[in-house]
Structure formats: C-alpha cells, structure tokens
Amino acid sequence: MNPADAPAAGRGHALVLSAAQMRAADQAASAQFGVPSLLLMENGGRGLAELVLRECGSRARPRVRVVCGAGANGGDGLVAARHLALAGADVRVLLVTARAKITGDAAINLAALTALGPVAIEDAATWDDPTGAWRASLADADAVIDAVFGIGLRADVMGVPAAAIGAMNASPGLKVAADLPSGLDADSGRIHAVAFRADVTATMGARKLGPALEADAPAGRVEVIGLGVPLRAPGDGGPLAFWLEESVVAAALPRRTATSHKGSAGHALIVAGSTGKTGAAVLAGRAALRAGAGLVTLASTAAGQVSLDAKLVELMSAHYAPGDDADAGSASVIAGLAARMKAMAIGPGIPTGPTMAAVVRELGATLPLPMVIDADALNLLGAEHCAALVAAPAPRVLTPHPGEAARLLGTSTAAVQEARLSSARTLAALTKAIVVLKGARTLIAQPDGTVFINPTANGALATAGSGDVLTGVITALLAQGLDPVDAAIAGVFVHGAAGAEAAAHTGGVIAGDLPEAVATVMARLRATAPDRPR
C-alpha cells in the first residue's frame, strides 16, 4: 500500500501500527518532511507533559515523578520532565539505567534537562535496596510517568526495571505511560513478566497494535499525541490496521428523508430458524428492522414458519422446505425469494443436515446478492468449501466467533485466539470475503489484509443470541445500500455500543434487549453527524 493510500484504506478511521510500522513511519516522516528525530521526540514529550498537567487539574504545583529508561521512550520522559518543570511542577527524574548508557536523542535531552538546573535527576539503577527505595521515592507522587521501555521490548522484564514498575504500580498518584506501558508487547498486548498499569497512555503518533487488540492490556485510556508531521506507515510495512472512530461511523449510517418509504429502505431476507431454534431468527429479524431495513422476511422450514408466525408481528415469514430440513429444491426456493431482496443473511438456527449444507454452499458461491453468512451456515460451509466463496458474484460478510473461525481455517480455537489478527486476515484472503471475527475487540478484515478494530469490550454481549442480533444489523445496513465494509464496520460498532446501552438500563442483558438498544444508539449517532440524506 502506498503511504498516500492509507487514509482512503482506513475510511477516515485512526491508524494503528505495529512496532516495525511505527519505526518505519518515524523514519519516513523525517525523510519526507526533513524533521529530525530529535524534533519528533520534542513534540511527543511536550504533548506528554501537557497531558499530565491537564490530568492533574487544579493542583498548583503537582509532584510528578518521571521514571526513564535508556532509549527513545526514556527520551520522551526527559522532554516531558523539562516542560513540566518549566510549567512549575515539582519534578523528579529517576533513571533505571546508568547515565553513561543513555545515548542518541535521549542523551541530548538528558543534557538539556541537567542544564535547566532545578530538576533532581537520580541514578536509581545503583540503589542498594531497589524495591524499598523505589517505593519510597514514589510514595508522595501526584503523578508518575512511566518512560522505561517503548515499542522495542521483547524479553521479560527483570531486575531494576521490574522493581521500578512494581513501585510505580504501587504509587498512589495518577499513572501515565509514555507511548506504551512498560512491559507490554507493542504487537500482541501480552505482558513480559510484569507491566506498568496505566490510567492513561499517551501514545506517540499512532495507536499501537498490542493495546488495541488486547482488551485486558493495562493501558487505561489511550490518547494519541501528535508529532507535528503526518504519520503514515510506508507501503512495504505490510497491511494496515485502523481503530474505529465514532464520528466516522456516525457519518456513514444511512438516513431517511421525508419521502423515504419501506421499499426505499430495503428488503432483507434472513434464512434462519428451525424447530426449537426460531428465537435466533426472531432476534436477527427484529434487529434488522430496528437497524433500519424497511422490510424483513424470515425464511425457515415449514415447521419453523408455523412457530415463527406465532411470534411475529412486523416481520414476514416464508418457508423453503416442507419438512424439518432442507430438501433438493430449497436452494431454488431461497434464490427465488432473494430475487426481490436487497441483501440476505443465512445461518442463525438453521437445520444442520447434509442437504442444508449443500444449500449453504451453493447459495454462498452463486447467489448474486450481498450476503451475511453466520452461525451454523459457517459450520456447514466448513474448511473444505469456504474457498468456493472466492467466485461469489456479490459481496460476502462472514461473522464467525473464534470456534467457527477455527473450523473454517482447519485449526483450533486456541490457535485462533492466540493469533486473532493473522487468523482474521488469513480467512479474509482465503474467501475474498469481509470477515468479522467476534471477540472483546471484534476485528473486521478485508481480503487485502486491512483490518478495523472495534473499541468495544463489553461483557454484556456475552449472552446467547447476541450474535444473531449482529447478523440482523449488518444485513439491514447492506439492504439499505451500504458498502459491505462500511456495513460490517457500522454493524459491529453499533452492536457493541448497544450492549453498553442495554447494560446501562438493566441489571442483566439478554439478547432480546439489544434490538431496541441498536435503534437508540443509531439515533444518537445520527444526531451527532452532519446531515447527509441517503
């Protein structure tokens, strides 16, 4: 990808970079704009200081303790210490490594801070009682800045740095990480033995993959500090990832005008439900209506339709087979129903026999209609048939949870969870479909490797049927004409926000609470976006 293409690829969402991409982006920024790395460090450290002062609020002379390592991360901390001192803060710098080992831009900033005069700079690496001395030195801090390790850490943290991190975590003050909490892997979000537990992370230039992917990463609230130049990953750095921004999602949502009618809002077909599993169909259908589809038809088995008709009010029903499973004519019946639709979904609660498997595979590969494939349809597709989606004449959106993704990839759930990013990218490349890999940080992957990371990490969605609601929302957005990537992005974002919305109004969320919450969230998002009629 050409660097100039990154904004277009991200659709306006915020860049998320790996450690290698971040280093390359820094180098490219210096080369393209002639801005030396020393100035990039200055801009980052000044932004870090401003964030700390803002977070300290009304304190007239906050006590700020800055713990610095030897590398560029330590340099950011030294710049921040200088600006904090100039702003009147009571600043003390603690070095976890000998001064002689601090080189490059960090050494220049250490010399500048030393020349400033009033800031105490201590060589804490030589303390005889590191654990006790570190804790005592940070006990009175209003704020602690962690600038020990940055994006280059790959080994477990031990010795003096480990003692420093433990003491910072025990400090009563506000905890701020410079760029990345020390001890956290920049790419995976995993902890290297011990990690700083930040209240706020001031990340330099762009978000880092690790804390973006790992919902439990101890990064706290993440704020991006601008470096004074446009920051883009070079084209040879691999596919890019992006963090979903609420304002961009809001602007993409379809709108209705005074002359809109149910036909112009799109008709969606959802092939779902069977005996004993019609609840999945109802959840998906209600969610589709609440997400704006003008008409929704639920297609099930004949027995399933009887059960559905006893439950439905606004939704329409149809059946594709006379028994409890698909038959030889089911694919043709469904294709006939789909001919007058704008989008289709298949999977929630469908029968799981071999005839239905053949129907899923045929429709997935041949139906000329945007299609969401979910739940049992993914299991029936299987690893041996999912590559057939490459030839599909219309977009496909796959919405697997990790277990379903594992079956499609012919691997284990644990392996998918261990490498969620690469798993989503691999499945999207294999199928040429948009892949929505569900989880605490749901990933939306394109076939070219571009990935969008949803910020939601909400335990309220850990309930039976919530995935059926997501299927309905994405299908409704497709039926209203959204591009399949935008439909997946908006559907995932809205679904996550609906979980939070429902949780705020009930003690225990069930999937049936979510469709109404989806409508509430979408109305709120539209109210924040510029008027953009469909």
Side-chain angles (χ1 to χ4, degrees):
M1 180 182 296
N2 186 295
D5 295 335
R11 298 169 181 256
H13 296 287
L15 196 60
V16 181
L17 297 180
S18 68
Q21 288 172 332
M22 188 68 227
R23 283 190 290 267
D26 278 341
Q27 293 167 3
S30 294
Q32 182 177 358
F33 297 100
V35 177
S37 59
L38 185 64
L39 184 53
L40 295 178
M41 182 177 286
E42 178 71 20
N43 291 341
R46 183 174 60 247
L48 171 60
E50 291 170 352
L51 181 148
V52 171
L53 289 171
R54 188 168 65 248
E55 292 293 322
C56 286
S58 60
R59 292 186 182 91
R61 194 166 186 262
R63 296 182 296 271
V64 183
R65 307 298 176 247
V66 188
V67 183
C68 297
N73 195 246
D76 292 336
L78 293 166
V79 172
R82 172 161 43 85
H83 284 281
L84 286 164
L86 290 170
D90 173 1
V91 181
R92 185 181 179 195
V93 173
L94 307 172
L95 304 178
V96 301
T97 189
R99 289 189 184 222
K101 294 184 178 180
I102 299 176
T103 60
D105 293 343
I108 294 172
N109 279 296
L110 177 58
L113 184 63
T114 302
L116 187 63
V119 178
I121 305 173
E122 301 195 36
D123 292 328
T126 61
W127 285 347
D128 292 335
D129 176 21
T131 302
W134 274 104
R135 287 180 181 261
S137 68
L138 300 174
D140 67 341
D142 294 316
V144 174
I145 297 178
D146 158 38
V148 179
F149 296 119
I151 61 175
L153 182 69
R154 290 294 179 267
D156 282 354
V157 180
M158 298 182 291
V160 173
I165 291 170
M168 286 191 288
N169 286 339
S171 171
L174 175 76
K175 299 170 182 64
V176 181
D179 198 28
L180 186 76
S182 292
L184 196 68
D185 191 284
D187 291 343
S188 70
R190 297 186 181 90
I191 293 173
H192 290 292
V194 64
F196 180 66
R197 300 195 169 275
D199 298 313
V200 187
T201 294
T203 194
M204 305 302 171
R207 288 179 180 269
K208 308 306 183 292
L209 269 177
L213 293 171
E214 181 51 64
D216 290 331
R221 188 180 81 251
V222 177
E223 289 199 18
V224 178
I225 304 298
L227 298 181
V229 292
L231 196 67
R232 299 175 184 141
D236 57 357
L240 297 178
F242 297 89
W243 183 260
L244 297 189
E245 297 286 350
E246 180 175 302
S247 61
V248 181
V249 173
L253 290 178
R255 308 287 187 94
R256 292 189 182 183
T257 67
T259 57
S260 296
H261 53 84
K262 62 186 179 183
S264 64
H267 192 164
L269 174 66
I270 301 178
V271 180
S274 57
T275 302
K277 296 181 180 179
T278 53
V282 173
L283 286 168
R286 287 182 58 226
L289 283 176
R290 290 294 188 182
L295 297 153
V296 178
T297 295
L298 299 178
S300 184
T301 61
Q305 185 183 16
V306 171
S307 178
L308 283 171
D309 282 345
K311 301 175 180 179
L312 304 181
V313 179
E314 300 92 346
L315 296 156
M316 296 180 287
S317 71
H319 69 270
Y320 53 79
D324 288 333
D325 198 353
D327 62 14
S330 293
S332 295
V333 173
I334 294 171
L337 291 170
R340 55 192 175 89
M341 307 292 176
K342 295 295 185 181
M344 170 183 159
I346 187 168
I350 60 173
T352 57
T355 308
M356 194 70 204
V359 169
V360 169
R361 293 163 188 171
E362 179 181 344
L363 293 176
T366 64
L367 197 69
L369 192 69
M371 182 188 300
V372 179
I373 304 177
D374 182 37
D376 282 323
L378 294 171
N379 295 326
L380 294 175
L381 197 61
E384 65 277 20
H385 294 283
C386 66
L389 297 179
V390 170
R396 300 294 184 252
V397 179
L398 313 185
T399 58
H401 59 55
E404 292 159 349
R407 286 186 280 277
L408 291 170
L409 291 169
T411 186
S412 67
T413 302
V416 170
Q417 289 293 72
E418 182 72 15
R420 284 175 53 80
L421 184 64
S422 61
S423 295
R425 282 173 166 158
T426 298
L427 185 55
L430 176 67
T431 59
K432 302 302 179 189
I434 306 304
V435 171
V436 174
L437 180 57
K438 299 171 188 173
R441 290 274 167 79
T442 294
L443 305 179
I444 302 102
Q446 297 181 185
D448 67 358
T450 301
V451 168
F452 298 88
I453 304 170
N454 188 48
T456 303
N458 192 331
L461 295 175
T463 184
S466 66
D468 304 322
V469 172
L470 176 61
T471 293
V473 174
I474 297 175
T475 306
L477 294 171
L478 287 171
Q480 293 170 85
L482 256 64
D483 168 276
V485 177
D486 282 337
I489 287 171
V492 166
F493 187 93
V494 166
H495 181 251
E501 173 72 21
H505 293 90
T506 179
V509 175
I510 59 174
D513 300 326
L514 295 174
E516 284 69 28
V518 163
T520 299
V521 167
M522 292 181 75
R524 184 169 66 237
L525 290 173
R526 287 191 184 98
T528 66
D531 189 30
R532 184 186 58 81
R534 238 178 3 100

PDB file of all heavy atoms in Angstrom, residues 115-141:
ATOM      1  N   ALA A 115      21.069  20.841  32.383  1.00  0.00           N
ATOM      2  CA  ALA A 115      21.438  22.259  32.300  1.00  0.00           C
ATOM      3  C   ALA A 115      20.345  23.168  32.828  1.00  0.00           C
ATOM      4  O   ALA A 115      20.619  24.286  33.272  1.00  0.00           O
ATOM      5  CB  ALA A 115      21.759  22.618  30.843  1.00  0.00           C
ATOM      6  N   LEU A 116      19.108  22.687  32.813  1.00  0.00           N
ATOM      7  CA  LEU A 116      17.995  23.506  33.306  1.00  0.00           C
ATOM      8  C   LEU A 116      18.156  23.818  34.792  1.00  0.00           C
ATOM      9  O   LEU A 116      17.786  24.891  35.252  1.00  0.00           O
ATOM     10  CB  LEU A 116      16.665  22.781  33.048  1.00  0.00           C
ATOM     11  CG  LEU A 116      15.379  23.536  33.346  1.00  0.00           C
ATOM     12  CD1 LEU A 116      15.253  24.764  32.452  1.00  0.00           C
ATOM     13  CD2 LEU A 116      14.179  22.606  33.143  1.00  0.00           C
ATOM     14  N   GLY A 117      18.700  22.863  35.545  1.00  0.00           N
ATOM     15  CA  GLY A 117      19.068  23.166  36.918  1.00  0.00           C
ATOM     16  C   GLY A 117      18.217  22.597  38.024  1.00  0.00           C
ATOM     17  O   GLY A 117      18.665  21.697  38.743  1.00  0.00           O
ATOM     18  N   PRO A 118      16.980  23.040  38.203  1.00  0.00           N
ATOM     19  CA  PRO A 118      16.279  22.713  39.446  1.00  0.00           C
ATOM     20  C   PRO A 118      15.706  21.299  39.517  1.00  0.00           C
ATOM     21  O   PRO A 118      15.177  20.902  40.553  1.00  0.00           O
ATOM     22  CB  PRO A 118      15.150  23.744  39.478  1.00  0.00           C
ATOM     23  CG  PRO A 118      14.878  24.046  38.049  1.00  0.00           C
ATOM     24  CD  PRO A 118      16.216  23.983  37.366  1.00  0.00           C
ATOM     25  N   VAL A 119      15.769  20.516  38.453  1.00  0.00           N
ATOM     26  CA  VAL A 119      15.158  19.193  38.453  1.00  0.00           C
ATOM     27  C   VAL A 119      16.133  18.163  39.024  1.00  0.00           C
ATOM     28  O   VAL A 119      17.275  18.034  38.547  1.00  0.00           O
ATOM     29  CB  VAL A 119      14.742  18.778  37.023  1.00  0.00           C
ATOM     30  CG1 VAL A 119      14.160  17.373  37.024  1.00  0.00           C
ATOM     31  CG2 VAL A 119      13.734  19.772  36.467  1.00  0.00           C
ATOM     32  N   ALA A 120      15.704  17.429  40.035  1.00  0.00           N
ATOM     33  CA  ALA A 120      16.530  16.363  40.609  1.00  0.00           C
ATOM     34  C   ALA A 120      16.534  15.164  39.670  1.00  0.00           C
ATOM     35  O   ALA A 120      15.476  14.683  39.269  1.00  0.00           O
ATOM     36  CB  ALA A 120      15.979  15.963  41.968  1.00  0.00           C
ATOM     37  N   ILE A 121      17.732  14.701  39.307  1.00  0.00           N
ATOM     38  CA  ILE A 121      17.888  13.537  38.435  1.00  0.00           C
ATOM     39  C   ILE A 121      18.703  12.505  39.198  1.00  0.00           C
ATOM     40  O   ILE A 121      19.866  12.744  39.534  1.00  0.00           O
ATOM     41  CB  ILE A 121      18.599  13.907  37.120  1.00  0.00           C
ATOM     42  CG1 ILE A 121      17.851  15.056  36.416  1.00  0.00           C
ATOM     43  CG2 ILE A 121      18.691  12.696  36.203  1.00  0.00           C
ATOM     44  CD1 ILE A 121      18.566  15.593  35.202  1.00  0.00           C
ATOM     45  N   GLU A 122      18.112  11.358  39.491  1.00  0.00           N
ATOM     46  CA  GLU A 122      18.767  10.361  40.332  1.00  0.00           C
ATOM     47  C   GLU A 122      19.103   9.109  39.531  1.00  0.00           C
ATOM     48  O   GLU A 122      18.285   8.610  38.749  1.00  0.00           O
ATOM     49  CB  GLU A 122      17.874  10.011  41.508  1.00  0.00           C
ATOM     50  CG  GLU A 122      17.526  11.222  42.381  1.00  0.00           C
ATOM     51  CD  GLU A 122      16.947  10.802  43.716  1.00  0.00           C
ATOM     52  OE1 GLU A 122      17.400   9.774  44.254  1.00  0.00           O
ATOM     53  OE2 GLU A 122      16.052  11.500  44.203  1.00  0.00           O
ATOM     54  N   ASP A 123      20.319   8.583  39.758  1.00  0.00           N
ATOM     55  CA  ASP A 123      20.742   7.324  39.135  1.00  0.00           C
ATOM     56  C   ASP A 123      20.227   6.177  39.998  1.00  0.00           C
ATOM     57  O   ASP A 123      20.955   5.597  40.816  1.00  0.00           O
ATOM     58  CB  ASP A 123      22.266   7.278  39.018  1.00  0.00           C
ATOM     59  CG  ASP A 123      22.788   8.303  38.028  1.00  0.00           C
ATOM     60  OD1 ASP A 123      22.075   8.580  37.053  1.00  0.00           O
ATOM     61  OD2 ASP A 123      23.891   8.830  38.238  1.00  0.00           O
ATOM     62  N   ALA A 124      18.984   5.835  39.790  1.00  0.00           N
ATOM     63  CA  ALA A 124      18.327   4.851  40.655  1.00  0.00           C
ATOM     64  C   ALA A 124      18.768   3.422  40.376  1.00  0.00           C
ATOM     65  O   ALA A 124      18.465   2.521  41.171  1.00  0.00           O
ATOM     66  CB  ALA A 124      16.810   4.968  40.485  1.00  0.00           C
ATOM     67  N   ALA A 125      19.492   3.192  39.279  1.00  0.00           N
ATOM     68  CA  ALA A 125      19.944   1.836  38.951  1.00  0.00           C
ATOM     69  C   ALA A 125      20.926   1.300  39.980  1.00  0.00           C
ATOM     70  O   ALA A 125      21.120   0.082  40.084  1.00  0.00           O
ATOM     71  CB  ALA A 125      20.584   1.828  37.567  1.00  0.00           C
ATOM     72  N   THR A 126      21.539   2.156  40.767  1.00  0.00           N
ATOM     73  CA  THR A 126      22.564   1.724  41.723  1.00  0.00           C
ATOM     74  C   THR A 126      22.038   1.636  43.151  1.00  0.00           C
ATOM     75  O   THR A 126      22.816   1.385  44.070  1.00  0.00           O
ATOM     76  CB  THR A 126      23.747   2.712  41.689  1.00  0.00           C
ATOM     77  OG1 THR A 126      23.282   4.013  42.069  1.00  0.00           O
ATOM     78  CG2 THR A 126      24.355   2.775  40.291  1.00  0.00           C
ATOM     79  N   TRP A 127      20.747   1.829  43.364  1.00  0.00           N
ATOM     80  CA  TRP A 127      20.216   1.790  44.723  1.00  0.00           C
ATOM     81  C   TRP A 127      20.424   0.415  45.346  1.00  0.00           C
ATOM     82  O   TRP A 127      20.189  -0.631  44.710  1.00  0.00           O
ATOM     83  CB  TRP A 127      18.733   2.138  44.730  1.00  0.00           C
ATOM     84  CG  TRP A 127      18.481   3.615  44.529  1.00  0.00           C
ATOM     85  CD1 TRP A 127      19.391   4.617  44.588  1.00  0.00           C
ATOM     86  CD2 TRP A 127      17.230   4.240  44.246  1.00  0.00           C
ATOM     87  NE1 TRP A 127      18.807   5.836  44.352  1.00  0.00           N
ATOM     88  CE2 TRP A 127      17.462   5.630  44.144  1.00  0.00           C
ATOM     89  CE3 TRP A 127      15.937   3.775  44.058  1.00  0.00           C
ATOM     90  CZ2 TRP A 127      16.459   6.554  43.872  1.00  0.00           C
ATOM     91  CZ3 TRP A 127      14.923   4.679  43.786  1.00  0.00           C
ATOM     92  CH2 TRP A 127      15.183   6.058  43.702  1.00  0.00           C
ATOM     93  N   ASP A 128      20.885   0.409  46.638  1.00  0.00           N
ATOM     94  CA  ASP A 128      21.178  -0.854  47.317  1.00  0.00           C
ATOM     95  C   ASP A 128      19.924  -1.669  47.600  1.00  0.00           C
ATOM     96  O   ASP A 128      19.935  -2.893  47.541  1.00  0.00           O
ATOM     97  CB  ASP A 128      21.908  -0.566  48.647  1.00  0.00           C
ATOM     98  CG  ASP A 128      23.299  -0.013  48.423  1.00  0.00           C
ATOM     99  OD1 ASP A 128      23.860  -0.287  47.345  1.00  0.00           O
ATOM    100  OD2 ASP A 128      23.812   0.690  49.310  1.00  0.00           O
ATOM    101  N   ASP A 129      18.850  -0.971  47.938  1.00  0.00           N
ATOM    102  CA  ASP A 129      17.587  -1.646  48.261  1.00  0.00           C
ATOM    103  C   ASP A 129      16.552  -1.219  47.231  1.00  0.00           C
ATOM    104  O   ASP A 129      15.706  -0.353  47.499  1.00  0.00           O
ATOM    105  CB  ASP A 129      17.135  -1.252  49.678  1.00  0.00           C
ATOM    106  CG  ASP A 129      15.772  -1.855  50.030  1.00  0.00           C
ATOM    107  OD1 ASP A 129      15.381  -2.843  49.386  1.00  0.00           O
ATOM    108  OD2 ASP A 129      15.103  -1.304  50.927  1.00  0.00           O
ATOM    109  N   PRO A 130      16.630  -1.783  46.021  1.00  0.00           N
ATOM    110  CA  PRO A 130      15.814  -1.240  44.930  1.00  0.00           C
ATOM    111  C   PRO A 130      14.317  -1.224  45.214  1.00  0.00           C
ATOM    112  O   PRO A 130      13.654  -0.221  44.965  1.00  0.00           O
ATOM    113  CB  PRO A 130      16.150  -2.142  43.739  1.00  0.00           C
ATOM    114  CG  PRO A 130      16.762  -3.367  44.318  1.00  0.00           C
ATOM    115  CD  PRO A 130      17.430  -2.942  45.584  1.00  0.00           C
ATOM    116  N   THR A 131      13.808  -2.314  45.796  1.00  0.00           N
ATOM    117  CA  THR A 131      12.359  -2.361  45.999  1.00  0.00           C
ATOM    118  C   THR A 131      11.907  -1.293  46.982  1.00  0.00           C
ATOM    119  O   THR A 131      11.017  -0.484  46.704  1.00  0.00           O
ATOM    120  CB  THR A 131      11.927  -3.745  46.487  1.00  0.00           C
ATOM    121  OG1 THR A 131      12.334  -4.728  45.529  1.00  0.00           O
ATOM    122  CG2 THR A 131      10.413  -3.806  46.653  1.00  0.00           C
ATOM    123  N   GLY A 132      12.573  -1.237  48.141  1.00  0.00           N
ATOM    124  CA  GLY A 132      12.177  -0.263  49.147  1.00  0.00           C
ATOM    125  C   GLY A 132      12.465   1.164  48.733  1.00  0.00           C
ATOM    126  O   GLY A 132      11.658   2.073  48.968  1.00  0.00           O
ATOM    127  N   ALA A 133      13.621   1.394  48.103  1.00  0.00           N
ATOM    128  CA  ALA A 133      13.993   2.746  47.685  1.00  0.00           C
ATOM    129  C   ALA A 133      13.052   3.265  46.608  1.00  0.00           C
ATOM    130  O   ALA A 133      12.659   4.442  46.624  1.00  0.00           O
ATOM    131  CB  ALA A 133      15.435   2.749  47.188  1.00  0.00           C
ATOM    132  N   TRP A 134      12.696   2.400  45.670  1.00  0.00           N
ATOM    133  CA  TRP A 134      11.784   2.826  44.613  1.00  0.00           C
ATOM    134  C   TRP A 134      10.423   3.197  45.184  1.00  0.00           C
ATOM    135  O   TRP A 134       9.853   4.233  44.847  1.00  0.00           O
ATOM    136  CB  TRP A 134      11.621   1.721  43.574  1.00  0.00           C
ATOM    137  CG  TRP A 134      12.666   1.747  42.507  1.00  0.00           C
ATOM    138  CD1 TRP A 134      13.735   0.926  42.373  1.00  0.00           C
ATOM    139  CD2 TRP A 134      12.735   2.668  41.411  1.00  0.00           C
ATOM    140  NE1 TRP A 134      14.476   1.270  41.280  1.00  0.00           N
ATOM    141  CE2 TRP A 134      13.883   2.341  40.662  1.00  0.00           C
ATOM    142  CE3 TRP A 134      11.941   3.747  41.004  1.00  0.00           C
ATOM    143  CZ2 TRP A 134      14.261   3.046  39.527  1.00  0.00           C
ATOM    144  CZ3 TRP A 134      12.315   4.447  39.872  1.00  0.00           C
ATOM    145  CH2 TRP A 134      13.451   4.098  39.140  1.00  0.00           C
ATOM    146  N   ARG A 135       9.911   2.384  46.070  1.00  0.00           N
ATOM    147  CA  ARG A 135       8.585   2.669  46.640  1.00  0.00           C
ATOM    148  C   ARG A 135       8.602   3.969  47.437  1.00  0.00           C
ATOM    149  O   ARG A 135       7.665   4.775  47.350  1.00  0.00           O
ATOM    150  CB  ARG A 135       8.120   1.503  47.499  1.00  0.00           C
ATOM    151  CG  ARG A 135       7.703   0.283  46.672  1.00  0.00           C
ATOM    152  CD  ARG A 135       7.245  -0.870  47.545  1.00  0.00           C
ATOM    153  NE  ARG A 135       6.891  -2.010  46.726  1.00  0.00           N
ATOM    154  CZ  ARG A 135       5.643  -2.348  46.372  1.00  0.00           C
ATOM    155  NH1 ARG A 135       4.633  -1.602  46.781  1.00  0.00           N
ATOM    156  NH2 ARG A 135       5.409  -3.402  45.618  1.00  0.00           N
ATOM    157  N   ALA A 136       9.675   4.182  48.205  1.00  0.00           N
ATOM    158  CA  ALA A 136       9.774   5.409  48.996  1.00  0.00           C
ATOM    159  C   ALA A 136       9.855   6.639  48.106  1.00  0.00           C
ATOM    160  O   ALA A 136       9.266   7.691  48.407  1.00  0.00           O
ATOM    161  CB  ALA A 136      10.990   5.332  49.912  1.00  0.00           C
ATOM    162  N   SER A 137      10.554   6.519  46.978  1.00  0.00           N
ATOM    163  CA  SER A 137      10.744   7.673  46.098  1.00  0.00           C
ATOM    164  C   SER A 137       9.480   8.076  45.363  1.00  0.00           C
ATOM    165  O   SER A 137       9.367   9.204  44.875  1.00  0.00           O
ATOM    166  CB  SER A 137      11.844   7.369  45.079  1.00  0.00           C
ATOM    167  OG  SER A 137      11.418   6.363  44.173  1.00  0.00           O
ATOM    168  N   LEU A 138       8.520   7.166  45.275  1.00  0.00           N
ATOM    169  CA  LEU A 138       7.294   7.451  44.521  1.00  0.00           C
ATOM    170  C   LEU A 138       6.071   7.594  45.417  1.00  0.00           C
ATOM    171  O   LEU A 138       4.964   7.835  44.920  1.00  0.00           O
ATOM    172  CB  LEU A 138       7.042   6.331  43.492  1.00  0.00           C
ATOM    173  CG  LEU A 138       8.139   6.113  42.444  1.00  0.00           C
ATOM    174  CD1 LEU A 138       7.823   4.893  41.587  1.00  0.00           C
ATOM    175  CD2 LEU A 138       8.312   7.343  41.570  1.00  0.00           C
ATOM    176  N   ALA A 139       6.283   7.472  46.719  1.00  0.00           N
ATOM    177  CA  ALA A 139       5.142   7.428  47.635  1.00  0.00           C
ATOM    178  C   ALA A 139       4.364   8.732  47.687  1.00  0.00           C
ATOM    179  O   ALA A 139       3.169   8.743  48.011  1.00  0.00           O
ATOM    180  CB  ALA A 139       5.626   7.052  49.037  1.00  0.00           C
ATOM    181  N   ASP A 140       5.018   9.874  47.393  1.00  0.00           N
ATOM    182  CA  ASP A 140       4.332  11.166  47.503  1.00  0.00           C
ATOM    183  C   ASP A 140       3.898  11.732  46.161  1.00  0.00           C
ATOM    184  O   ASP A 140       3.487  12.889  46.073  1.00  0.00           O
ATOM    185  CB  ASP A 140       5.247  12.175  48.203  1.00  0.00           C
ATOM    186  CG  ASP A 140       6.468  12.532  47.350  1.00  0.00           C
ATOM    187  OD1 ASP A 140       6.791  11.760  46.412  1.00  0.00           O
ATOM    188  OD2 ASP A 140       7.091  13.581  47.614  1.00  0.00           O
ATOM    189  N   ALA A 141       3.988  10.940  45.111  1.00  0.00           N
ATOM    190  CA  ALA A 141       3.735  11.456  43.765  1.00  0.00           C
ATOM    191  C   ALA A 141       2.255  11.737  43.528  1.00  0.00           C
ATOM    192  O   ALA A 141       1.391  10.927  43.870  1.00  0.00           O
ATOM    193  CB  ALA A 141       4.239  10.468  42.726  1.00  0.00           C
TER     194      ALA A 141
END
